[in-house]
Amino acid sequence: MSKIIYIPDKLPTPPDQQPTVNVFAAVVEPKIINNLVRRLNQIAPLENLRHVKRVQKKHLEDGKTQIALILCVASENNCDLDVLSPCVQELVTSYKLSAFITKVCKEAATTKEEWEEQCKLWPTSYHPPTYNIDGITGFNEVDTQSIFGFMRLAIELAQSSSKSVVNAAVIVDPSVTQVIASACDHHISFENASTSNVNGETSFEKSPKSLCSHFGSNGSIIHGTFPSSSSLEKLKQSCADVSCLYPLRWVDQPLPHSSNSCCWHPLRHAAIAAIESSAARDRRLFPTLETTGDKSVEMEHMGPLTKLAKRQKIDLDNANSKEKKVGTDGEGTYSKLGRPYLCTDYDIYLVWEPCIMCAMALVHQRVRRVFYAFPNPSHGALGSAHRLQGEKSLNHHYAVFRVLLHEDVL
């Protein structure tokens, strides 16, 4: 059965190994519980333990109900009652409470199993994940079928451009259900593969198979025209040519000895190539001021850092503009409010989980969601070996999902 699995930003903790903290608590009479809760929320709020409930109800063997209340968090180094704050100490004295030390779970539960284990220590709240990450609110039936369709498209692309299976990336604008760019891993063939640009630099290009057969003239998805399972049987071949699975393979490859030789490019993984294609498309559809009028002269005399900063400011101004601009290319017409800023709010579909280099490139591009079909056990950056999406020091975070397609497809 096909389904979409959310990959959390941190490794799940075994339910019985969750970290805990000490708190001061006391058994109280039901008639004073409301007054105490209101007062304690003022003088000793549980700022870092918002998932922990302040009150615990326990049914005793004699049929009575015992109510315990968290007074405050205990110090890590000193759990003596003497360290209670004066305000809490005053409540303890006024109501003649007998404070004691107990443990509560330090972090909110991410699964129902974790929550059930937490409640054995002290009651906590549990909110099932809804993928509400930067506006991501889950998937309805239309979204789900669209996601499955784009992933099937990526899988066909992965086996359509060469004899061996490679990784493939498809960048999509979900707001209009349109493919923005696509690419495969670039394995360089030295036969007619190198070209020189106007600066005399050598570059290697490889055009992926056209995707127009699966999309309408405006780039929107056409349901029912995706490849059948029989056309995907080649995926059962070796995946030894997938760049993200073997990111260091280029180090071990021998130097080419003939014009028919083929080698790996260390940087041009599928995700990187798709990003480059998306950027080229933006430059074509939304030319900036640096290529028009007198501004081109001004940009020529700027230093590289100043030029980059000015270009980013132009892109941001265009992204925030209320004026609608329409661009047209060979794949159809695309309408958007100004020029997109990098890949902001776009989704990317990858056949294999990206490596660290590709995952970090997606951070820099401000991608919104990442979908992949197969894990990358040794070098995967988004769930298998690492979880880059949970690195708090980064200035952008995206949501990650694994797409499990039907067995007939895979």
Side-chain angles (χ1 to χ4, degrees):
M1 179 179 179
S2 301
K3 59 181 179 179
I4 304 169
I5 300 176
Y6 172 62
I7 308 298
D9 57 6
K10 64 178 181 178
L11 193 66
T13 304
D16 58 344
Q17 298 179 17
Q18 300 179 70
T20 60
V21 294
N22 292 329
V23 295
F24 287 109
V27 176
V28 300
E29 294 293 330
K31 60 183 180 182
I32 64 172
I33 189 67
N34 290 335
N35 292 334
L36 284 174
V37 169
R38 281 195 296 267
R39 181 59 177 155
L40 287 170
N41 284 341
Q42 295 174 350
I43 64 175
L46 303 178
E47 292 292 348
N48 298 322
L49 298 173
R50 294 184 180 274
H51 60 287
V52 178
K53 296 185 178 181
R54 195 122 209 177
V55 177
Q56 178 195 61
K57 292 184 178 180
K58 184 182 295 184
H59 297 285
L60 303 179
E61 295 180 357
D62 57 4
K64 294 183 179 180
T65 300
Q66 175 182 287
I67 299 179
L69 176 70
I70 293 179
L71 301 175
C72 63
V73 179
S75 172
E76 294 183 3
N77 302 322
N78 191 347
C79 294
D80 294 336
L81 295 178
D82 297 337
V83 299
L84 288 174
S85 67
C87 294
V88 175
Q89 187 67 56
E90 181 182 352
L91 281 182
V92 171
T93 303
S94 300
Y95 290 95
K96 298 180 180 179
L97 303 178
S98 298
F100 60 89
I101 292 288
T102 189
K103 292 183 180 296
V104 299
C105 285
K106 185 177 182 180
E107 299 174 354
T110 57
T111 65
K112 188 175 181 180
E113 291 74 19
E114 287 184 3
W115 173 68
E116 291 174 348
E117 195 71 22
Q118 287 186 359
C119 291
K120 294 178 181 179
L121 295 177
W122 193 277
T124 62
S125 300
Y126 172 61
H127 303 285
T130 58
Y131 315 139
N132 190 16
I133 305 171
D134 293 337
I136 300 168
T137 56
F139 309 111
N140 56 33
E141 183 62 25
V142 175
D143 292 336
T144 299
Q145 294 305 316
S146 179
I147 290 169
F148 290 155
F150 283 121
M151 184 55 73
R152 291 191 189 100
L153 186 61
I155 290 175
E156 184 185 64
L157 183 61
Q159 51 82 48
S160 64
S161 58
S162 63
K163 295 182 180 180
S164 60
V165 177
V166 295
N167 203 3
V170 177
I171 298 177
V172 174
D173 183 349
S175 65
V176 290
T177 324
Q178 181 184 26
V179 171
I180 300 299
S182 61
C184 293
D185 289 335
H186 283 199
H187 295 176
I188 306 166
S189 174
F190 284 86
E191 181 179 7
N192 299 325
S194 62
T195 59
S196 297
N197 58 25
V198 293
N199 297 323
E201 299 173 344
T202 300
S203 62
F204 298 92
E205 295 296 337
K206 177 180 178 182
S207 300
K209 182 180 178 181
S210 174
L211 302 179
C212 295
S213 59
H214 299 292
F215 292 86
S217 60
N218 62 348
S220 60
I221 192 169
I222 299 179
H223 295 286
T225 61
F226 290 107
S228 63
S229 58
S230 60
S231 67
L232 299 174
E233 287 299 319
K234 292 182 180 180
L235 281 177
K236 295 181 180 180
Q237 302 176 46
S238 169
C239 58
D241 287 337
V242 177
S243 297
C244 283
L245 292 180
Y246 307 98
L248 298 180
R249 175 69 62 83
W250 65 275
V251 176
D252 301 326
Q253 65 189 0
L255 293 175
H257 298 290
S258 68
S259 61
N260 295 324
S261 298
C262 181
C263 74
W264 286 34
H265 195 293
L267 300 179
R268 295 186 64 77
H269 294 198
I272 305 294
I275 289 171
E276 183 181 42
S277 178
S278 175
R281 176 184 181 278
D282 286 348
R283 290 192 297 270
R284 185 170 65 253
L285 296 183
F286 305 95
T288 59
L289 295 179
E290 64 182 276
T291 59
T292 59
D294 297 335
K295 290 292 183 179
S296 58
V297 179
E298 177 185 344
M299 295 292 284
E300 289 179 359
H301 296 284
M302 292 181 180
L305 294 179
T306 305
K307 184 183 296 185
L308 177 61
K310 189 171 185 66
R311 182 180 299 118
Q312 290 180 343
K313 182 179 185 303
I314 292 171
D315 293 345
L316 284 172
D317 289 343
N318 285 336
N320 294 328
S321 173
K322 299 300 181 180
E323 179 183 0
K324 179 176 291 188
K325 299 181 181 179
V326 179
T328 306
D329 63 1
E331 299 175 355
T333 302
Y334 179 66
S335 177
K336 199 174 181 71
L337 292 177
R339 176 176 177 171
Y341 179 61
L342 304 176
C343 292
T344 301
D345 290 335
Y346 289 169
D347 297 338
I348 186 168
Y349 294 81
L350 296 156
V351 179
W352 270 273
E353 176 186 357
C355 62
I356 283 289
M357 178 184 72
C358 294
M360 195 64 205
L362 298 178
V363 171
H364 290 312
Q365 287 293 309
R366 303 299 190 265
V367 167
R368 183 174 180 234
R369 299 184 298 193
V370 179
F371 299 89
Y372 65 83
F374 299 107
N376 182 350
S378 299
H379 301 283
L382 303 179
S384 297
H386 310 281
R387 291 182 187 251
L388 190 69
Q389 69 270 34
E391 179 54 55
K392 295 182 179 180
S393 63
L394 299 179
N395 62 353
H396 176 76
H397 299 87
Y398 42 63
V400 180
F401 302 89
R402 183 181 175 190
V403 180
L404 299 181
L405 295 179
H406 193 273
E407 184 177 353
D408 294 341
V409 177
L410 301 181

